Amino acid sequence: MLKIDNLHVKLEEEDKQILKGVTLEVPAGEVHAIMGPNGSGKSTLSYVLSGRDGYEVTEGSAMLGDIDLLELEPEERAAAGMFLAFQYPVEIPGVGNMTFLRTAVNAQRKARGQEEMSAADFLKFVRAKAKDLKIDADMLKRPVNVGFSGGEKKRNEILQMAMLEPKMCILDETDSGLDVDAMKLVSDGVNALRDENRGFLVITHYQRLLDHIVPDVVHIMAGGRIVKSGGPELALEVEKNGYADLMETA
Amino acid sequence: MAIAKEKLLARRRDALSARLETLTLPEGGAWITEARKTALARLETMGLPTGRDEYWRFTKPESLNAAEPEPAAVFDHGEETPVFDAVERTRIVFVDGVFDAAQSDDLSVDGIEIERLEDAARADIHWAKDIYGAIETRGQTPVERPHAALNTAFATDGVLIRVTGKAEKPVSLIYQHKNETSDAFLHNVVRVEAGGELTLLENGPAAARFNKVLEVDIAAGGRLHHIRAQGRDHERRAVTGMFVRQDEDSLFKSFTLTVNGRLTRNEIYVDLEGPNASAHVAGAALGHGDFHHDDTVFIRHDAENCESRQVFKKVLQEGAIGTFQGKILVERGAQKTDGYQKSQSLLLDDGANFLAKPELEIYADDVACSHGSTSGAIDKDMLFYLRARGIDEKTAMDLLVIAFVAEAMEEVEDERFREELVERLEGWLLRRRG
Amino acid sequence: MAQDEHTIVKEGVEKETVDAVKSLGDKYKYGWETDIEMDYAPKGLTEDIVRLISQKNEEPEWMTEWRLNAYRRWLQMEEPDWAMVDYPEIDFQDQYYYARPKSMETKPKSLDEVDPKLLATYEKLGIPLKEQMILAGVEGAGEVPADGDNSDRKVAVDAVFDSVSVGTTFQKELKEAGVIFCSISEAIREHPELVKKYLGSVVPPTDNFYATLNSAVFSDGSFVYIPPGVRCPMELSTYFRINAENTGQFERTLIIADREAYVSYLEGCTAPQRDIAQLHAAVVEIVILDDAEVKYSTVQNWYPGDENGKGGIYNFVTKRADCRGDRSKVMWTQVETGSAVTWKYPSCVLRGDESQGEFYSIAITNNMQQADTGTKMTHLGKNTRSRIVSKGISAGRSNNTYRGLVSMHPKATNSRNYTQCDSLLIGDQCGAHTVPYIEVKNQSSRVEHEATTSKVDDDQMFYCRQRGMDEEEAVALIVNGFAKEVLQALPMEFAMEAQQLVAISLEGSVG
């Protein structure tokens, strides 16, 4: 489903190469994890795949199915099924969470040639999804992410994921800033979305999230490259020995 | 006197004499004749503003001063229903500054007395005597507002509203513009008696050039909600003055939405004279191209424990200019004052300009006053977040524009009006996209 | 009462501050005068007086003409009246424009030849004109625990007494580094090419009423030139002393930091306590070329007048830095505690791309003092940055105004300004005002301005007093915390002095 081939990325503003040839394939139905030390390029990968400004792809490709992601605007990528759960969800004062969700859902439906959802249907839809994630009505009324706790922000990201039904989900350090209960809630939310048509790329610094969201494949990223891939046991190895050993053997 | 000051005053007086050539003091009963004469005397000491005046450094006054107005095309609204149309209200219609009985509702309403200025002006005594021109006069210091004095002297039409109880429905002043060269003065007076409550709506472009004064006197415990939508005629010009005096425990809330217009100068002067009074004034202005919008606000705290809020937002592009001059003055003894002021602009492209002077002048120590002013482009992170969720760039921009002005709209308490204004704004943004 | 200590006492207030308050007795400790024989030019201002000043300084013809042009221009100008300060009309013909100690008639060749009375004056002010390791201008400075690099810090001093510079220390050592540090009168004689090139290039002789007056009659001041690539080996300072009666001081300072140069410059000022107000109208010009940096710190402690507003210095100062080069940087830090009237706006012209300007200010007014001070940040170059932090403290019956301009020109794309203005009121008879002007003419620049006004927090006061401080000590402590961000921007010795000054300036403001 997601096929990244020899991806090289530098910062647009300065001459700094961040990704130096990332190759990675996430087939539909699988969960892949990317682990790696700070500054290894994990977040950059997620931003480049979702189309954020400020990066320049100098080489390589990223395909979602037969769609060339790098050719598309961020919203076109979203409509094609790419979803990024942000490490730091952006606060947008003045925009109600509900308005935001509805606009997003309908924008994507429209882009896919589906009919827009009526206000009543939407309300039912959002309430059902919100309930699963223990998101109360108040959180839906407040402006997007404004005044949300760390856990609330992450749950709001998963709520959006559930509502937008993407094909490919990237979770960027979704576990950061979560306590045990919140981590469980968020993981349950993600696990409920796992099915044979959807791929996941879970970016994390720590192994503990992978206890909850068990990956099929674990990749270790360092210095802008995937340096090692393996099964879930690779994550445990990292947990035990840190990254240094792995990077040496790579 | 310093030579420079003398020169400046001479220029102001020259501007005034040029203006007065086309005007004659209207006739009327004893009370209004007196008010008009003193207004003219006041005006003659000030003259009309020049670009060298401190409070006109951001806005050119010439087209507002000129003897004749620049013509302004009438905007074609097509099938669109006028703003506030869906709400039950008492409609009072002025066409190019002249009362239109045929389009207006019956002026007898429970809880309020409404009278045309023209009728009241014929009487020799009237309750409005202590308000008409009086609150405006108070508002002339420390900053002169000559166009308001000009209005007090020469306005012949407008309404006088006395609110004795809780008005059952809003009073809606509708200012239609039909004549491309109209030059209108309107002077309205609202007296909210103790415990009275009214929602006052104003909308419409009014004239090619519009000089309007609204004087408001709110007695103890009275409440006035004021919502205004200034018409969309691209070429219209307006200078408006809102002068408010508040007694204890009173509430004044005002919100103005401005889209389009070549030049709009909205001056607001609020005098908090009684303790525990509260004044919230807000505005949202959106313009592109040849658009100049000026909010000049002055809030005077002259009693203990009063609260004031100013929230002014501007969205500007393609050469549009937005200016804000706002001041919180806390007089000696006005302890426990809570004063807040925020002025922000969103610049959608490089042609737009934002010019601001947010001031605090404080002579009491036990106060909490603050102001904030920002200017900048649309936040890129917000835009990306919205787009990453599948919302296209233009829709995302519009969402962020509406979000940006939302804080100012919060001053519209009645949800019906707030929602309608947001819809109007969305429509405007959509049409702007073409 | 369980209270979190952090919420009560503002951070950063040192115990030394409180001790300092105790140790210092008099309200204005620099109020004495030096009894010394003076040479005065006749009272009043005419072309002849301008010529005389030029002649006393042994200036070349071009400089005399420069002054005369300014004088003629000045005659056409009017005193500005837009500031929120109110003072009796100044009779510019009732002033002495030139006063020089008789002993300075022949210029001493070295500090050893300087009149002992003058040396004693500076000694008493705490500024001995000896080449010593640290600036002794501050009691207690020597006791500051040396944090490594402090122990061998040197400060060169140019001492200006009324109209003339009496001496400059460390000239030899500075010369070895290529740095020129001398009086401006000497620079006009010795380095005319530099003076011609830069004098009036930042503050033109026609700039404003007081700057134009200064251009006509400035008698002395300091000159600094840091050559390309040189990091000035020590801090430079000028100490201004007004001594003579009815005499205005008009000094002019010109600082040039050539490419990649760096200098930190300190300025201090005091004057005797007199019933009649005295005029001070200075000009400071700073030119900063590519990649150079200048830090300019002022502790202004002119005599503020008595508690009824009698006497004091009228301080009308034009200070401006021109960040002419790319990536150039200037930082103004000022502690304004003195003067009856202050009219002063140290400004930054951010002309070079990526240039930076900073302004940190504490202005304290007490009794009948009036201060109208702030800055102008003019962003002309791309990616320029400016930061303004202003802390105003008003007490007594004083008025304290922040006035500032932030201007983003159309070509100054991607620039940023952040402004924070906080005012603190002590007592219900004073005033605190904020008058910022903001002009943004491009989209990609961001301007943020925040201002607050409040009084000294009752809970903080109570907490301090419960711990045994009297009201004045508590106020000094809290005010120092309020102003911490600015105090931190000062060189260490100045920061100490400033903390003490804060306490002294506020004496009598409570109770």
Side-chain angles (χ1 to χ4, degrees), chain A residues 193-207:
Chain A
L193 290 169
R194 286 177 79 157
D195 70 29
E196 73 260 22
N197 298 318
R198 188 170 282 141
F200 285 87
L201 191 58
V202 181
I203 295 172
T204 182
H205 194 73
Y206 301 105
Q207 187 270 339

Side-chain angles (χ1 to χ4, degrees), chain C residues 119-139:
Chain C
L119 291 177
T121 299
Y122 285 89
E123 185 85 42
K124 197 170 169 189
L125 290 168
I127 316 284
L129 296 179
K130 286 180 257 170
E131 303 200 339
Q132 56 183 21
M133 294 315 261
I134 55 166
L135 176 66
V138 191
E139 279 131 296

